[in-house]
Amino acid sequence: MTITITAFEQSPDGGKGLARDTRVRWALEEVGQPYKVRLVSFRAMKEPAHLALHPFGQIPTYEESDLALFETGAIVFHIAQRHAGLLPDDANARARAITWMFAALSTVEPPILELATAKLLEGDKPWSTQRMPLVEDRIRGRLRQLSRRLGDADWLDGAFSAGDLMMVSVLLRLRGSGLLEEYPNLSAYVNRGEARAAYQRAFDAQLAINTGKRPSDLRSEARPGRRASGLNGE
Ligand SMILES: N[C@@H](CCC(=O)N[C@@H](CS)C(=O)NCC(=O)O)C(=O)O
């Protein structure tokens, strides 16, 4: 069974790991599944061959035998269902981990994406400086709630799960904004996620594509703590 995912031929973030193929790579690394990557240009993403896989003309996609999926939530969920390592065996704990996946994507990610839009696409608008504090405060509201729930636990609900993988992936986008650092337990939570060997393999693989370097060259120079700002496109 060969798994093939798609990724940007050249990611707009230059390899900071914000492109969403990173979360799929991370899930595959966590469960020990090898995969291939098909790189696509922005133009190819909008052409019929790719649109047949992804109706919105985006990456990543996931192909495995005669199954083709899009949307990282669905892809990571599929990987987690098929392979041990990302969801607990206990039915209730499993349902709670899945709940955190949904929470990451539908409750926490939207205000964070709004900040990227406000900075990248609307930064030159006359009303931008008035809007920015509102956007940031909506993020703070979510982070405060999440921080309160996480408390001093390592992960959101017991052992590391697909819920944490998705939540860390979403929060990572705040790096460089200063917002994450206002919540030290969330900042430490993201660091814990990034420190996982599976995340580092996933990060290095996407960085190698975007910099042309081999993973072995990257090991000494690309540790998570050394990466700069998020929120600058993916
Ligand atoms: N909700 C989708 C979002 C996918 C998405 O936004 N992909 C970005 C890259 S991270 C993309 O392809 N952007 C280019 C475009 O929309 O044209 C998911 O989670 O898979």
Side-chain angles (χ1 to χ4, degrees):
M1 177 195 65
T2 305
I3 294 170
T4 304
I5 66 167
T6 50
F8 284 131
E9 192 175 65
Q10 190 65 56
S11 177
D13 77 350
K16 292 195 177 79
L18 301 180
R20 289 173 178 79
D21 56 292
T22 305
R23 50 182 83 163
V24 173
R25 293 170 184 272
W26 184 8
L28 289 165
E29 292 287 355
E30 288 284 351
V31 302
Q33 279 298 305
Y35 62 96
K36 292 184 176 169
V37 183
R38 193 169 60 250
L39 301 178
V40 287
S41 65
F42 269 91
R43 204 181 67 188
M45 280 162 55
K46 311 300 175 195
E47 287 174 354
H50 189 75
L51 287 171
L53 290 172
H54 197 310
F56 306 114
Q58 297 181 314
I59 61 97
T61 58
Y62 175 100
E63 292 157 81
E64 175 198 315
S65 305
D66 57 355
L67 175 69
L69 297 174
F70 59 96
E71 286 296 333
T72 52
I75 296 170
V76 171
F77 185 42
H78 171 78
I79 294 167
Q81 295 261 63
R82 284 278 169 99
H83 307 281
L86 280 173
L87 287 174
D89 291 334
D90 174 77
N92 285 355
R94 199 175 178 92
R96 289 195 302 271
I98 294 165
T99 300
W100 280 116
M101 287 185 66
F102 277 88
L105 292 174
S106 61
T107 302
V108 179
E109 190 169 50
I112 292 175
L113 292 179
E114 209 185 326
L115 180 59
T117 303
K119 286 192 173 175
L120 297 171
L121 304 179
E122 300 168 354
D124 59 347
K125 302 281 187 267
W127 36 262
S128 172
T129 46
Q130 284 167 294
R131 182 172 185 241
M132 201 61 79
L134 303 175
V135 173
E136 290 183 344
D137 277 349
R138 277 196 286 274
I139 296 175
R140 284 193 183 92
R142 283 290 177 249
L143 295 185
R144 196 178 310 117
Q145 292 164 322
L146 187 64
S147 167
R148 203 181 304 134
R149 173 54 80 96
L150 179 67
D152 58 6
D154 279 354
W155 306 114
L156 287 166
D157 193 312
F160 175 84
S161 77
D164 295 298
L165 184 151
M166 206 54 93
M167 192 64 82
V168 168
S169 299
V170 161
L171 294 175
L172 266 170
R173 197 172 289 272
L174 288 174
R175 273 269 157 74
S177 70
L179 291 168
L180 196 56
E181 292 70 21
E182 292 177 18
Y183 303 87
N185 66 335
L186 292 183
S187 197
Y189 171 66
V190 170
N191 288 343
R192 265 192 299 283
E194 285 185 308
R196 292 180 72 83
Y199 176 82
Q200 299 201 2
R201 286 193 298 273
F203 179 85
D204 285 357
Q206 63 78 38
L207 185 62
I209 286 171
N210 284 290
T211 59
K213 294 183 179 179
R214 291 166 305 163
S216 54
D217 300 331
L218 300 166
R219 245 162 256 296
S220 56
E221 58 187 81
R223 292 284 67 90
R226 298 181 54 190
R227 286 201 294 284
S229 62
L231 287 171
N232 42 5
E234 73 283 341

